[in-house]
Amino acid sequence: MKKQIYQSCKFFKTDMPCIYHKKDGRICSECSDFRETTGTILIIKKDAAGDVLRTTAILEPLKRKMPDHRIIWLTAETNKDVLSGNPYIDEIWTPSFETSQAISFLKFDTVINLDLSPDCLITAATAKADKFYGFKYKKDGSVSCSNKSAEEWFLISHNDGLKKANRKTYQQFITEIAELPCYGEIIVPLQKPSIEKANIFAKKHHLAGKKVIGIHTGSGSKWPTKRWHERNIIQLIKMLAKKKYPVLLFGGMEEKDIMEKIIKNVRGHLVNTGYNNTIPDFFALLDLCDVVITADTLALHIATGLKKKVVALFGPTSPYEIADYGRVEKVITPLDCFCCYKRECNKKPFCMEEIHPETVFSKIEKIL
């Protein structure tokens, strides 16, 4: 029986027949789709959603370096949909007792941990691997960094002054930490049902053949200081309306009140995409846009991965960590206190309010 089942195949499952057996009943010895795997790579990156997504930039070069390895990615349950459908990932694992058991029991060829949260550090420390890149706990509770680039990232992660002075992108850092020759594109998987829903949405609102502008209104509850004020968004939409550009408004339940206020104050070419879209639907709706205006949020990384033209707004966080791929126009607050990494701020004027809609509009006109 063991000789009849090729356990080294990329498509092998321990508890069920593989996809090709289920498709047409073929057995291992007769299968032309057999793919030999020579090892397993475990990537640990759980939070936050935007960071998980932009970390996918290491997958293309990693697969080129180790084409016959399986890739397992450990992420938070809430971020599973960010990775679902990614062609470079063989399995997505989420934290559980069983997952912890598997990681401590199995032997990996390579473990890459790019997450500094305590649970990820202990997970990385318990994983057995021939090669390790990134961060893990030592027995004394201190953090071990695998190379100089990991040490540099660790230092700037704990010093806002160094964050502000840094000029290397996040993608540069993770590429160096993983000892890869380059980084690739951010990979945004589009699901067929979500594409179909987005196409219906586009047809309903007569978007075909038009230059569509997407505006993401939020920043999430953890980073309210990143949010561009709705007063500026309203002014920008009115300027876009004069040019007859259709505008899609994006946000979640946390932005519902803001979005309704914007809609109340603007008429014409504004379409609300909804407040409670799934991650796959959010991906597909953003894909309808030609230009996306967003703060430093998940939407920025999605739009970049979808190869959209992006106008990105920066106040409390670093614009220099963002890889622009030749598609991102960065608008930085003129205030000297930018890149403070404060999640609460009572200063007047406030940094994001000082990004004027006229400046953003000129960037849109430039890249369209």
Side-chain angles (χ1 to χ4, degrees):
M1 179 61 71
K2 287 185 179 180
K3 292 181 180 179
Q4 296 174 354
I5 299 176
Y6 297 168
Q7 294 191 38
S8 62
C9 181
K10 173 185 175 71
F11 306 108
F12 169 75
K13 301 289 185 183
T14 60
D15 58 346
M16 66 181 70
C18 76
I19 56 172
Y20 294 106
H21 180 83
K22 298 299 288 185
K23 180 181 178 182
D24 52 30
R26 76 182 85 166
I27 59 175
C28 292
S29 60
E30 300 171 356
C31 184
S32 60
D33 290 291
F34 171 72
R35 296 291 183 272
E36 181 84 31
T37 56
T38 56
T40 302
I41 302 165
L42 174 66
I43 298 173
I44 304 171
K45 184 62 182 174
K46 288 174 53 182
D47 295 305
D51 286 340
V52 171
L53 186 62
R54 65 176 175 167
T55 301
T56 62
I58 67 170
L59 288 174
E60 289 177 279
L62 187 63
K63 202 64 175 178
R64 284 196 297 268
K65 183 178 179 180
M66 293 178 276
D68 298 322
H69 281 60
R70 296 173 69 251
I71 295 178
I72 297 171
W73 192 306
L74 175 66
T75 195
E77 181 69 40
T78 53
N79 294 328
K80 191 173 180 180
D81 281 346
V82 172
L83 301 173
S84 182
N86 190 307
Y88 295 99
I89 301 173
D90 295 289
E91 291 187 50
I92 301 169
W93 288 3
T94 56
S96 68
F97 175 72
E98 291 76 15
T99 298
S100 297
Q101 281 188 314
I103 290 173
S104 62
F105 175 76
L106 296 173
K107 175 73 178 297
F108 301 95
D109 288 82
T110 302
V111 170
I112 304 171
N113 176 36
L114 300 168
D115 204 313
L116 285 166
S117 63
D119 57 325
C120 290
L121 293 172
I122 193 66
T123 298
T126 59
K128 295 183 283 290
D130 295 326
K131 294 179 182 179
F132 177 82
Y133 303 100
F135 312 95
K136 62 181 177 180
Y137 270 139
K138 297 178 183 178
K139 290 286 187 180
D140 63 3
S142 62
V143 177
S144 171
C145 302
S146 63
N147 56 26
K148 288 184 178 180
S149 292
E151 290 174 2
E152 186 180 358
W153 179 256
F154 181 72
L155 286 172
I156 71 169
S157 297
H158 293 79
N159 186 311
D160 291 338
L162 292 177
K163 274 268 193 185
K164 188 170 184 175
N166 171 58
R167 293 298 181 269
K168 288 168 66 173
T169 67
Y170 175 81
Q171 278 88 331
Q172 285 177 284
F173 270 112
I174 62 174
T175 297
E176 292 172 6
I177 291 169
E179 297 184 13
L180 296 168
C182 62
Y183 59 84
E185 292 280 350
I186 297 170
I187 301 166
V188 182
L190 293 173
Q191 308 285 353
K192 186 176 178 180
S194 295
I195 293 172
E196 291 172 351
K197 287 172 67 174
N199 288 339
I200 293 170
F201 179 91
K203 186 175 181 180
K204 176 182 177 181
H205 296 286
H206 311 290
L207 301 180
K210 299 176 182 177
K211 295 292 185 181
V212 179
I213 313 297
I215 300 179
H216 190 264
T217 58
S219 60
S221 58
K222 291 184 178 180
W223 278 101
T225 51
K226 290 183 183 181
R227 187 172 62 81
W228 201 31
H229 199 279
E230 59 265 25
R231 177 178 61 252
N232 288 341
I233 295 175
I234 290 168
Q235 290 179 29
L236 175 62
I237 294 172
K238 288 179 178 179
M239 295 168 73
L240 293 169
K242 290 179 180 178
K243 293 283 187 173
K244 300 191 182 301
Y245 292 127
V247 176
L248 303 187
L249 202 62
F250 292 90
M253 289 303 297
E254 293 171 340
E255 288 79 43
K256 183 178 179 180
D257 291 343
I258 295 168
M259 292 171 69
E260 289 181 348
K261 182 177 179 180
I262 293 169
I263 293 165
K264 185 178 179 180
N265 284 274
V266 178
R267 294 180 181 179
H269 300 268
L270 179 63
V271 182
N272 183 2
T273 62
Y275 315 111
N276 201 25
N277 291 306
T278 64
I279 289 292
D281 288 353
F282 186 31
F283 286 178
L285 287 167
L286 268 179
D287 197 41
L288 297 175
C289 303
D290 294 281
V291 178
V292 175
I293 295 92
T294 176
D296 182 9
T297 67
L298 172 62
L300 167 58
H301 308 303
I302 298 170
T304 304
L306 290 170
K307 299 182 173 63
K308 303 299 173 182
K309 295 173 182 178
V310 182
V311 179
L313 315 180
F314 294 92
T317 56
S318 172
Y320 310 112
E321 281 184 19
I322 301 300
D324 62 28
Y325 291 91
R327 301 187 290 270
V328 180
E329 289 282 340
K330 300 176 183 179
V331 180
I332 306 169
T333 181
L335 300 188
D336 292 337
C337 59
F338 85 100
C339 199
C340 64
Y341 277 86
K342 292 182 179 178
R343 301 190 184 206
E344 296 180 4
C345 181
N346 297 317
K347 282 189 177 182
K348 298 292 181 183
F350 175 59
C351 64
M352 293 298 284
E353 291 177 343
E354 290 302 295
I355 297 176
H356 298 142
E358 293 82 5
T359 304
V360 178
F361 182 79
S362 68
K363 292 286 187 182
I364 297 169
E365 291 274 86
K366 174 185 173 183
I367 60 181
L368 269 177

